[in-house]
């Protein structure tokens, strides 16, 4: 299971691959948490952390993923981050677009949500570019959403 885009390979974090990728990227706290959950429930593969790999340089440039499996309403929340050297180059937009398409094509998702700080201009631009709409605010956060438009969106 992996997603190919023009410039990226997006690979789900697994018990088998996380050490190799983390050696390039660093073993961040949310990756450790995901691995612990994955060991308890292998069915969350794909619904947690994915590594974003630059095809040209063949190195991990960020991570993206969902904060768990789709809920009863077929909703998932997406999150992402790119290393500073790879920000403002369109990689986040490319990765987020692809992972949203993957989620909608799974048949298990009807809505993707996200949240970002009101001051995070870069993240706001990514969410706008991928077609998400701001749906509310909660304290210092903007809440975003995107509904699958058609039954056969892919």
């Amino acid at each position: 299971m992996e997603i190919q885009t023009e410039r990226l390979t997006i690979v789900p974090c697994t018990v088998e691959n996380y050490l190799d990728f983390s050696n390039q990227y660093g073993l961040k706290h949310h990756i450790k948490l995901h691995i612990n959950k994955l060991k308890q429930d292998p069915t969350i593969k794909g619904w947690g952390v994915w590594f974003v790999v630059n095809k040209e340089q063949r190195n991990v440039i960020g991570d993206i993923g969902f904060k768990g499996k789709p809920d009863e309403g077929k909703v998932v929340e997406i999150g992402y981050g790119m290393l500073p050297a790879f920000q403002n180059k369109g990689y986040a937009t490319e990765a987020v677009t692809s992972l949203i398409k993957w989620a909608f094509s799974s048949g298990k998702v009807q809505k993707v949500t996200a949240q970002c700080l009101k001051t995070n201009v870069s993240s706001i631009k990514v969410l706008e570019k991928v077609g998400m709409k701001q749906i509310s605010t909660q304290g210092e956060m903007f809440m975003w959403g995107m509904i699958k438009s058609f039954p056969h969106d892919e």
Side-chain angles (χ1 to χ4, degrees):
M1 172 192 306
E2 66 181 32
I3 299 169
Q4 298 290 332
T5 71
E6 182 181 340
R7 302 180 297 165
L8 305 172
T9 300
I10 306 167
V11 182
C13 177
T14 66
V15 173
E16 295 78 24
N17 73 11
Y18 83 97
L19 284 178
D20 290 337
F21 285 121
S22 295
N23 286 337
Q24 297 176 33
Y25 184 60
L27 189 53
K28 300 180 183 331
H29 180 70
H30 66 281
I31 295 172
K32 290 178 189 176
L33 290 174
H34 173 66
I35 291 301
N36 288 336
K37 289 179 186 175
L38 196 57
K39 286 176 181 176
Q40 295 171 7
D41 180 6
T43 68
I44 66 167
K45 181 180 174 184
W47 301 109
V49 177
W50 295 61
F51 292 105
V52 180
V53 180
N54 179 306
K55 285 182 178 179
E56 186 177 311
Q57 298 172 349
R58 295 189 177 131
N59 61 329
V60 178
I61 63 170
D63 68 89
I64 188 169
F66 300 107
K67 296 181 180 180
K69 293 183 197 180
D71 66 15
E72 316 79 45
K74 294 189 169 190
V75 179
V76 291
E77 183 178 342
I78 195 167
Y80 50 90
M82 297 294 139
L83 293 172
F86 298 94
Q87 294 174 357
N88 300 310
K89 296 180 182 352
Y91 292 116
T93 301
E94 193 172 327
V96 171
T97 298
S98 297
L99 199 58
I100 288 173
K101 285 181 182 178
W102 177 86
F104 284 151
S105 71
S106 74
K108 299 176 181 179
V109 174
Q110 289 297 317
K111 182 178 182 180
V112 177
T113 64
Q115 56 180 308
C116 71
L117 287 168
K118 293 177 181 177
T119 57
N120 190 339
V121 176
S122 295
S123 194
I124 291 168
K125 287 180 182 178
V126 168
L127 295 170
E128 290 174 339
K129 285 180 187 176
V130 303
M132 284 203 161
K133 304 293 181 210
Q134 187 182 336
I135 54 177
S136 67
T137 59
Q138 291 181 356
E140 296 300 312
M141 304 297 280
F142 285 134
M143 310 309 286
W144 300 79
M146 172 187 278
I147 297 171
K148 185 176 179 182
S149 301
F150 302 102
H152 302 294
D153 277 357
E154 292 188 24

